[in-house]
Amino acid sequence: MKLTRSQKLLLTLSIIAALCLLGLLVIDLLFRPIVTQIRPTPSFEATETLGIPISEATTTPDLSTTSPTPSPSEVTPSATTTGTEEPSSTLITPTPAPTTEEPTPEATSTPEEAEADDEGTNEFFVSPDGSKENDGTKEEPWELQYALNHPSRVKPGDTIWLLGGEYNDSYTLRLEGEEGRPITVRAYPGERAILTNDDRVLDISTSRYVNLWGLEIRPTENSRDPEDYDESAYGVRVNQGKESHHIKFINMIVHDMPSQGFGWWQANQESEIYGSLIFFNGVTQFDHGIYVNNDTGQKRIVDNFIFDNASHGIHAYGEKEHHNLNNIHIEGNTLFNNGSIGFSTTQGTYGIYKRNILLGGLMVAENPVIINNYTYYPGDAGEALNLGYKAGSSGAIVENNYFAGGQIEIGGENPGLAITQNTIAGGGIASLASTLRLGQNQVLLARPNGLKVFIRPNQYEAGRANITIYNWSHQETVTLTANDLEGVDLKPGDRYELHNVQDYFEDVITGTFDGNRLVIPMTGHTVAQPIGLDFKPNTTFPEFGAFVLIRIDEDNSDG
C-alpha cells in the first residue's frame, strides 16, 4: 500500500522517537554504576567526641552561646512553713534541660596535630618551655602568651591545648572566635596545666567567643598579710578598658589568690563561669571568690563549688552607674563556709563567716535569678543569701534553693520578687517576714534529720558530676544507686575518681563502677592547707560533703 506524505512523516517521527528512547536506556545502563560509586557518604555526627553527657529530651550544648542549665527532675516543696525535720532521705538529680541550639564540636580525647586551614578545626599546642618560633605542634609547642595573642594560623573554631606543667607569668587573653565557632583554650587530657604568678594571673582583654577549659590558676606565693598584700593579684580579671564578650570559664580551678578569684567586671558581657572550683581566695573582708558587675546582656554563674574564700563566695555588688547588677543568673552552685579564712581588719580576727551569696548593693539589682543552689554554714553565723542589700531588686526570682545554716536577708524594696519552693533549714529568717509566702517554702526551724543529696551532671564533660550531700543524721556512708547516677553517663566497668572538693588534689577515691551503686564515705576526709596560712578551715564532714565525680577514660588516664 502506498503511503501518503503525511503518513510517511508520522512514521519517520515515530522511528526517531524510538531510537532516542533506546539511546537513553543504553546511557542509563552504562553510567548507573559510576553514579552509585561517587554518591557522597552520609555525614557522621561525632557525639562521642563532644565530651558532653547526652540524655533524654536533651541536645548537646553549644559552647559558643549560653549553656543549657539542668533543672531538678523532682521538686519537693513543703505545704507548711515551719517544722523540725524533713523526709529521712531525699535525692534530687537535675535533668539537663532541652536546647534547640546546635552543638559546637569539641576536640577528641586524644588530640593529634593538624595542619592549619581555614575551616577552624585545627589543634595547636603550648607548653611551659615552648617558643613562638616553634610551629605549634605537640613536638614543637608554642609559648602560652604567643598563642593567646591570636597568631594568624589560629582560626575561629580551633583548639589550643596546654600541656602539663607550670606557666609562670601574667597572661593576657586576646583571642577572637566567632559565633558558633569559639576558640577553645584547654588543658591537655590527663595533664595538669597550672597558670601561676605573684601578681594577676590572667587578664581578659579584647576577646570574644573563647572557651577557657580545665585550667588551674593559683599564685606562686601568698603571704596572707592583711597589711601588705597585692590587692591587684586576681586569678582572673576583666580589663575595664577593653570590651570582651561570650567568654566561658569551664571546669576551672581558681584558688589561693591574694585578692579576688574572679574580678568579673562589666566590660565583659554575655559570659559564664561553669563547673569550676573557686576556693581559698583573698586575705581580708574585701576579697571574694567571684566579684561581679554587669551592665548589658547576661552573666551566668552555674554549677560551681565556691567555698572557704576570705569573705563572700559570690559578691555581686555595685555602688554607682556602670557598676550595675543587671541580669545576673546564679544556678546550681554549692557554696559553703565563705569567710572562714579571711582576716577582718575591723575586728582584728580571722574566720568570721560572711556571706555565701550577695546580690545587691547601692544600685538596684535588675532581674536577678537565684535558683537550685545549695548553701551551708554549720550554725546561724554568716548569711546564706543577701538579696538587694540596701537598694533592693526588681523582678528577682529565688526558687528551689536549699539554704542550710546562716541568715537570709532581703534588703531594700523588691517589687516583683518571687521567692518560692525553697528549703530554709536551721537559719535565721527574720527579714523574710514580709516576703515569705505561706505554703510556698519549707522552713525548718531546727536542724533537719535524715539525708539530702543533689547530683548535677556536668554539661560539658560526659561522666562528670557535682555531688552535694547534707548528711544530717551523720551516717558513715551514703549510697547512690545506678538510677541516681543515670544522667552522669557512668556505665558498668567504668573507672572513676571521686574528689573531695575540700582537698581536691589529695583526697581522691578511685574505683570501678559495678553498675549498681556508688558508696561515698562521709568520714576520714581531709582539708587542704591554704597557701600562706598557718591554719586550715574546719572540715564540714560528716554533716556536709561536696564531691566531683569524674569518669576516667582510658585514653586520658596517666596509668
Side-chain angles (χ1 to χ4, degrees):
M1 181 180 66
K2 188 175 179 181
L3 298 175
T4 66
R5 180 179 299 177
S6 59
Q7 288 174 328
K8 289 180 181 180
L9 179 60
L10 180 62
L11 178 62
T12 301
L13 291 174
S14 300
I15 293 171
I16 292 172
L19 290 174
C20 290
L21 179 61
L22 179 62
L24 290 173
L25 291 173
V26 171
I27 291 172
D28 182 67
L29 291 173
L30 288 175
F31 289 95
R32 179 178 296 175
I34 298 175
V35 173
T36 301
Q37 291 173 15
I38 64 174
R39 185 174 298 157
T41 303
S43 62
F44 174 69
E45 183 179 355
T47 56
E48 290 300 319
T49 68
L50 292 175
I52 302 168
I54 302 171
S55 60
E56 295 182 7
T58 306
T59 59
T60 45
D62 183 346
L63 302 187
S64 66
T65 56
T66 302
S67 74
T69 302
S71 58
S73 57
E74 176 185 355
V75 180
T76 56
S78 172
T80 61
T81 60
T82 61
T84 58
E85 62 182 41
E86 57 187 1
S88 60
S89 180
T90 305
L91 185 141
I92 298 178
T93 304
T95 301
T99 175
T100 59
E101 298 168 352
E102 291 298 320
T104 300
E106 169 205 334
T108 60
S109 59
T110 54
E112 298 294 337
E113 300 86 339
E115 294 296 327
D117 59 42
D118 293 329
E119 297 301 318
T121 59
N122 306 307
E123 293 170 334
F124 301 98
F125 294 80
V126 300
S127 74
D129 57 356
S131 170
K132 64 181 181 181
E133 305 300 329
N134 291 341
D135 60 8
T137 62
K138 190 175 181 181
E139 290 74 22
E140 295 187 20
W142 288 330
E143 65 183 21
L144 178 55
Q145 187 56 64
Y146 176 76
L148 297 182
N149 286 341
H150 202 144
S152 60
R153 292 179 63 198
V154 175
K155 310 296 182 183
D158 287 351
T159 297
I160 299 171
W161 293 101
L162 271 66
L163 300 176
E166 292 192 10
Y167 296 78
N168 192 344
D169 207 340
S170 181
Y171 296 97
T172 301
L173 182 70
R174 300 188 180 94
L175 291 169
E176 299 187 9
E178 296 176 354
E179 183 175 1
R181 297 200 302 163
I183 297 173
T184 297
V185 181
R186 186 175 181 183
Y188 189 79
E191 299 189 10
R192 187 173 169 185
I194 305 169
L195 278 60
T196 183
N197 193 39
D198 58 3
D199 196 347
R200 180 178 63 252
V201 177
L202 181 61
D203 195 62
I204 308 301
S205 186
T206 304
S207 308
R208 63 177 183 261
Y209 296 105
V210 179
N211 300 326
L212 297 159
W213 193 329
L215 308 178
E216 180 182 351
I217 293 179
R218 73 181 190 198
T220 51
E221 61 180 4
N222 186 348
S223 69
R224 306 278 181 178
D225 184 349
E227 296 182 355
D228 184 23
Y229 76 100
D230 188 350
E231 297 180 6
S232 67
Y234 294 15
V236 178
R237 188 201 72 162
V238 169
N239 190 315
Q240 288 285 62
K242 304 289 185 180
E243 182 176 314
S244 58
H245 60 89
H246 292 92
I247 309 298
K248 291 194 173 192
F249 304 90
I250 302 170
N251 299 345
M252 303 277 285
I253 303 177
V254 180
H255 64 99
D256 285 286
M257 294 305 302
S259 187
Q260 322 296 332
F262 281 82
W264 207 21
W265 312 129
Q266 66 275 7
N268 177 246
Q269 304 169 14
E270 297 288 1
S271 294
E272 180 177 49
I273 301 173
Y274 181 90
S276 298
L277 276 71
I278 304 165
F279 59 94
F280 294 174
N281 296 292
V283 175
T284 73
Q285 72 268 27
F286 303 109
D287 306 319
H288 318 291
I290 300 173
Y291 196 154
V292 55
N293 307 133
N294 194 53
D295 281 351
T296 60
Q298 186 185 66
K299 280 200 172 86
R300 295 168 55 86
I301 303 172
V302 180
D303 285 355
N304 304 284
F305 286 114
I306 307 172
F307 59 96
D308 285 317
N309 292 286
S311 186
H312 293 49
I314 297 173
H315 188 261
Y317 178 83
E319 293 186 344
K320 56 186 178 181
E321 189 177 0
H322 301 306
H323 290 181
N324 291 314
L325 303 173
N326 300 333
N327 306 313
I328 295 175
H329 186 107
I330 300 173
E331 179 167 2
N333 304 283
T334 298
L335 305 102
F336 60 95
N337 286 6
N338 286 289
S340 63
I341 65 168
F343 183 83
S344 172
T345 57
T346 58
Q347 300 187 44
T349 186
Y350 283 94
I352 298 175
Y353 291 135
K354 197 63 176 177
R355 296 185 178 103
N356 282 323
I357 302 173
L358 167 67
L359 209 174
L362 305 186
M363 308 292 292
V364 174
E366 298 284 349
N367 305 312
V369 175
I370 303 171
I371 57 177
N372 299 326
N373 298 285
Y374 322 112
T375 73
Y376 176 84
Y377 279 124
D380 292 342
E383 291 182 4
L385 169 67
N386 186 308
L387 174 65
Y389 192 63
K390 293 183 178 180
S393 67
S394 177
I397 298 174
V398 181
E399 185 174 284
N400 288 330
N401 301 284
Y402 196 94
F403 299 120
Q407 308 292 309
I408 295 180
E409 297 287 340
I410 308 294
E413 298 294 325
N414 294 273
L417 171 63
I419 177 167
T420 61
Q421 298 181 349
N422 302 284
T423 297
I424 304 167
I429 59 170
S431 69
L432 294 178
S434 62
T435 56
L436 194 63
R437 296 179 181 178
L438 296 179
Q440 295 191 11
N441 296 272
Q442 183 181 41
V443 178
L444 308 174
L445 299 182
R447 302 298 271 185
N449 296 319
L451 183 69
K452 197 82 168 180
V453 178
F454 299 91
I455 300 174
R456 296 189 68 89
N458 193 281
Q459 296 301 291
Y460 295 99
E461 292 185 19
R464 178 172 176 144
N466 291 354
I467 301 174
T468 302
I469 300 174
Y470 295 89
N471 182 27
W472 298 119
S473 56
H474 290 200
Q475 298 174 195
E476 290 191 359
T477 62
V478 171
T479 299
L480 306 180
T481 68
N483 288 337
D484 298 333
L485 299 168
E486 185 177 4
V488 183
D489 195 16
L490 191 66
K491 300 179 179 63
D494 283 346
R495 295 174 59 211
Y496 66 83
E497 294 177 344
L498 187 68
H499 295 251
N500 163 28
V501 302
Q502 295 176 65
D503 196 0
Y504 183 83
F505 296 108
E506 299 297 330
D507 189 351
V508 184
I509 298 170
T510 59
T512 300
F513 184 52
D514 64 5
N516 296 314
R517 62 180 187 167
L518 177 67
V519 179
I520 301 177
M522 295 298 290
T523 61
H525 291 290
T526 55
V527 176
Q529 176 64 57
I531 296 173
L533 274 184
D534 57 6
F535 67 91
K536 296 181 181 181
N538 294 328
T539 182
T540 64
F541 289 98
E543 185 169 86
F544 176 85
F547 302 89
V548 179
L549 174 66
I550 301 175
R551 185 185 68 204
I552 305 174
D553 295 326
E554 293 298 326
D555 290 339
N556 298 345
S557 63
D558 295 330

